[in-house]
Amino acid sequence: MDEIIRQADLKKPAFLCAISLIAFLLFSGWAEAKPAKTPEKIKTIIIGDRVVDIAYNLGVIPEAMVVRCAMWPLCKNRLKAMIQPLGCPNCVTLKRKTIVPETAGKLGIKQIIIEKHPNYCLYKPEVKPENVVPLLAGKGLTIEYVDFSEGLESAIRQTAKLVGRESGADSLIESYNKAMVKAKGALPEKKPAKKVLIIAGVYQPQTGKTFLRVEMPGGYSDRFLLDPLGCINVGDALKRPKTKVDKGHFIIRKLDGLIKAKPDVIIMTGDAFAVQKVLSVQTKNYPNLAAVPAIRNQAIYSLPFYADSSVIEYPAILRQWTVALAD
């Protein structure tokens, strides 16, 4: 490595960028969970994102799960390849009412672990994992609960007991608390008050089409990321009067509204390529976009979306957003 550095022209921006990227990857930490060993699969079905996340970080995973996978990057990118997804809590109580007991019967599962959370879903308050309980009556299943009303530490201990990992609870709580202290310590004392636009990208490889969704103010990003950093979500400046908002986002095709919104930073969640492609094309169609502060200053970052599912990974995600948004 030393020889490579000696031979390189340190004045070249590309080289400096490469070194910076290596340093970031080595020292910033990842925003996803990385259990030391391959998780052990246990005979249970877990209903609720946060309980699945805790179990995963304790080193175990259920045979099947009922979670908001579409809103949870860790689920989409990793967990659904290891755990059978049965749908979201709304789906299994309205459209697929027999899927949980049928899956339990096929897999010989007797235990169902259900998340109880005072604010399970910000976008759909009526959706609760425990709503599935009446559909399990008379099926010979043991229903267990993990209650988050007393905080995350209690929920970790409850989960650990139910999945047979009580010995790992203290270690997980300690590592989480240390990460949280570090994340809070990295928050800027002087709030930057930057205007931020959050765009979720979707790319369809079969068709080559791209779709963009803008996150409205008041959602998960505001509550867990922008508010602690003292930043402002300006997504509503791009919304047209009749545009429908679904799960805190609305679809957008033209980005000329950026000229009026003047975001200091653009955050790309989901598929960053989709956002980059549309920005590239529309900057040519609307030359004035080049004067938007985020575009002019190249303050455009790909960051993980957080919907309060990856509760154990939250400190790492908060720290990553801090690095991007803090002065």
Side-chain angles (χ1 to χ4, degrees), residues 54-67:
I54 293 171
Y56 176 62
N57 280 276
L58 287 168
V60 298
I61 54 176
E63 289 276 357
M65 62 181 176
V66 177
V67 298

Side-chain angles (χ1 to χ4, degrees), residues 261-284:
K262 296 180 181 178
D264 299 302
V265 180
I266 294 174
I267 300 299
M268 304 179 293
T269 61
D271 195 323
F273 167 72
V275 183
Q276 291 168 332
K277 180 63 178 176
V278 175
L279 278 172
S280 175
V281 172
Q282 297 205 12
T283 301
K284 297 174 183 177

Side-chain angles (χ1 to χ4, degrees), residues 21-155:
L21 177 60
I22 292 171
F24 178 81
L25 293 178
L26 287 175
F27 300 114
S28 69
W30 297 98
E32 287 190 355
K34 301 183 296 302
K37 299 179 181 179
T38 301
E40 176 189 352
K41 186 168 286 189
I42 59 174
K43 283 285 184 181
T44 189
I45 294 174
I46 296 180
I47 303 176
D49 323 6
R50 298 170 182 88
V51 181
V52 171
D53 188 61
I54 293 171
Y56 176 62
N57 280 276
L58 287 168
V60 298
I61 54 176
E63 289 276 357
M65 62 181 176
V66 177
V67 298
R68 302 171 299 167
C69 201
M71 296 173 57
W72 186 10
L74 177 60
C75 179
K76 290 192 295 183
N77 298 336
R78 188 178 302 180
L79 296 182
K80 75 174 184 179
M82 299 186 290
I83 309 168
Q84 182 181 348
L86 304 181
C88 71
N90 193 44
C91 176
V92 301
T93 54
L94 296 179
K95 299 178 181 179
R96 309 181 72 192
K97 296 182 178 182
T98 62
I99 188 67
V100 174
E102 285 179 355
T103 301
K106 290 177 182 178
L107 298 177
I109 292 171
K110 297 298 181 182
Q111 182 193 53
I112 309 292
I113 300 176
I114 299 178
E115 174 183 329
K116 293 184 70 175
H117 195 285
N119 299 295
Y120 176 72
C121 184
L122 178 61
Y123 298 140
K124 291 184 177 293
E126 73 280 5
V127 175
K128 301 178 184 298
E130 60 264 37
N131 290 348
V132 76
V133 173
L135 302 176
L136 306 179
K139 305 295 182 181
L141 299 168
T142 301
I143 310 298
E144 307 281 5
Y145 295 95
V146 174
D147 189 349
F148 281 76
S149 63
E150 297 182 7
L152 181 60
E153 182 173 330
S154 172

Side-chain angles (χ1 to χ4, degrees), residues 62-259:
E63 289 276 357
M65 62 181 176
V66 177
V67 298
R68 302 171 299 167
C69 201
M71 296 173 57
W72 186 10
L74 177 60
C75 179
K76 290 192 295 183
N77 298 336
R78 188 178 302 180
L79 296 182
K80 75 174 184 179
M82 299 186 290
I83 309 168
Q84 182 181 348
L86 304 181
C88 71
N90 193 44
C91 176
V92 301
T93 54
L94 296 179
K95 299 178 181 179
R96 309 181 72 192
K97 296 182 178 182
T98 62
I99 188 67
V100 174
E102 285 179 355
T103 301
K106 290 177 182 178
L107 298 177
I109 292 171
K110 297 298 181 182
Q111 182 193 53
I112 309 292
I113 300 176
I114 299 178
E115 174 183 329
K116 293 184 70 175
H117 195 285
N119 299 295
Y120 176 72
C121 184
L122 178 61
Y123 298 140
K124 291 184 177 293
E126 73 280 5
V127 175
K128 301 178 184 298
E130 60 264 37
N131 290 348
V132 76
V133 173
L135 302 176
L136 306 179
K139 305 295 182 181
L141 299 168
T142 301
I143 310 298
E144 307 281 5
Y145 295 95
V146 174
D147 189 349
F148 281 76
S149 63
E150 297 182 7
L152 181 60
E153 182 173 330
S154 172
I156 290 174
R157 295 193 185 283
Q158 293 173 59
T159 303
K161 183 177 181 179
L162 292 174
V163 302
R165 288 294 185 276
E166 289 179 272
S167 60
D170 287 339
S171 176
L172 181 58
I173 291 169
E174 181 181 3
S175 64
Y176 172 85
N177 287 336
K178 285 182 178 179
M180 198 70 244
V181 168
K182 186 178 292 186
K184 288 183 177 179
L187 294 173
E189 293 184 10
K190 182 180 179 181
K191 303 302 182 183
K194 291 181 178 178
K195 294 190 293 183
V196 180
L197 179 69
I198 305 168
I199 308 177
V202 177
Y203 172 68
Q204 293 183 339
Q206 298 87 350
T207 63
K209 292 182 179 180
T210 58
F211 300 90
L212 304 185
R213 298 165 67 242
V214 173
E215 185 173 351
M216 284 285 286
Y220 281 107
S221 294
D222 284 33
R223 182 171 297 191
F224 291 96
L225 302 164
L226 297 187
D227 287 353
L229 283 160
C231 293
I232 304 161
N233 185 340
V234 295
D236 53 344
L238 279 76
K239 180 181 174 297
R240 301 183 186 279
K242 295 183 179 181
T243 300
K244 181 182 178 181
V245 177
D246 180 49
K247 295 180 181 177
H249 293 73
F250 62 90
I251 295 175
I252 191 169
R253 292 178 174 79
K254 294 183 179 180
L255 296 177
D256 53 320
L258 285 170
I259 299 170

